[in-house]
Amino acid sequence: MKPLPTNINDGLFTQAVVQYEILQFNIVHGISGRKEMDKKMSGFLTATKKIRDSLLGIDDSPNKIALGFGLGLFLGVLPGTGILAAVVCSVALRVNKAASLAGALLVNTWINIVAFPFALIVGGFVFRIDPALLKVKWLALLDHFTWNALLDTLILYAALAVFVGYLLLGLIMGIVGYAICLFAVVWTRKNLVNKKKSVN
């Protein structure tokens, strides 16, 4: 088992988490003023760019880096999983741990707010249930949770449909993230080799 690469800045992931928490707080509680919003988004984008630059600098095969990043995106989208699951699964599947962690940090939790409507639509399409009805049943389950409510067949279908929606969205994001990361790592390394050849 390879240790985490030493060229990853220790504070990088902490910065990304702090910027994510600020962004999530602002989404939930609102922000006073456009300048403040721009400042917060600028910090979040800066942290995202640092994650990107660190991914491109990892000393591992491009395939392992891309697989780790895709796995992190997939697990980051699924509710109830995230950073710890990404690291554990990356160790079990022998893909790059730092890339998996970066992918999970990039989308963990905040994407659930954005992905919930899409999960309802995809899950409703798969199970042929109206997404509006799914939303009503899902919110009713969350507002008035009882163990007996889980026995309601429609609520079980709603929960299953939402989970399947998240699963499919996670798979799509993981595959797209894998392809983009693989292309970026291969392209960056190829350009570095060409630059070294032109210097020599």
Side-chain angles (χ1 to χ4, degrees):
M1 179 171 76
K2 292 174 98 176
L4 280 173
T6 56
N7 59 351
I8 299 279
N9 183 359
D10 291 338
L12 170 71
F13 296 118
T14 305
Q15 272 183 335
V17 170
V18 168
Q19 290 300 323
Y20 150 74
E21 288 174 353
I22 290 169
L23 181 65
Q24 186 179 21
F25 177 83
N26 291 338
I27 288 171
V28 172
H29 298 288
I31 298 177
S32 60
R34 176 76 180 158
K35 289 181 182 177
E36 191 176 335
M37 174 70 159
D38 290 343
K39 184 178 173 185
K40 302 299 181 189
M41 281 303 293
S42 174
F44 180 74
L45 292 175
T46 302
T48 304
K49 287 177 185 176
K50 287 182 181 180
I51 289 175
R52 179 201 64 199
D53 293 342
S54 294
L55 271 176
L56 296 176
I58 294 173
D59 186 27
D60 206 348
S61 74
N63 193 43
K64 283 188 175 184
I65 295 170
L67 280 171
F69 186 69
L71 178 69
L73 287 177
F74 170 70
L75 292 172
V77 169
L78 292 180
T81 63
I83 297 167
L84 183 61
V87 172
V88 169
C89 288
S90 65
V91 169
L93 297 174
R94 298 176 192 257
V95 296
N96 191 280
K97 293 179 282 304
S100 181
L101 184 63
L105 278 172
L106 194 61
V107 297
N108 190 22
T109 308
W110 72 266
I111 196 75
N112 289 328
I113 298 167
V114 177
F116 183 70
F118 296 110
L120 286 174
I121 292 168
V122 171
F125 177 76
V126 170
F127 287 95
R128 297 175 190 220
I129 302 173
D130 181 25
L133 180 61
L134 277 177
K135 181 180 178 183
V136 168
K137 285 296 188 178
W138 183 256
L139 293 176
L141 176 65
L142 293 178
D143 285 342
H144 309 289
F145 179 79
T146 62
W147 291 105
N148 289 336
L150 291 177
L151 300 176
D152 183 8
T153 306
L154 191 54
I155 288 182
L156 285 175
Y157 275 124
L160 186 61
V162 169
F163 177 74
V164 167
Y166 274 118
L167 187 69
L168 292 175
L169 286 172
L171 280 171
I172 291 167
M173 284 188 71
I175 291 168
V176 170
Y178 166 80
I180 291 171
C181 186
L182 183 64
F183 173 77
V185 171
V186 169
W187 184 76
T188 303
R189 289 184 180 179
K190 187 176 182 180
N191 281 345
L192 286 174
V193 169
N194 290 340
K195 283 181 184 178
K196 286 180 183 178
K197 284 182 181 177
S198 67
V199 170
N200 294 333

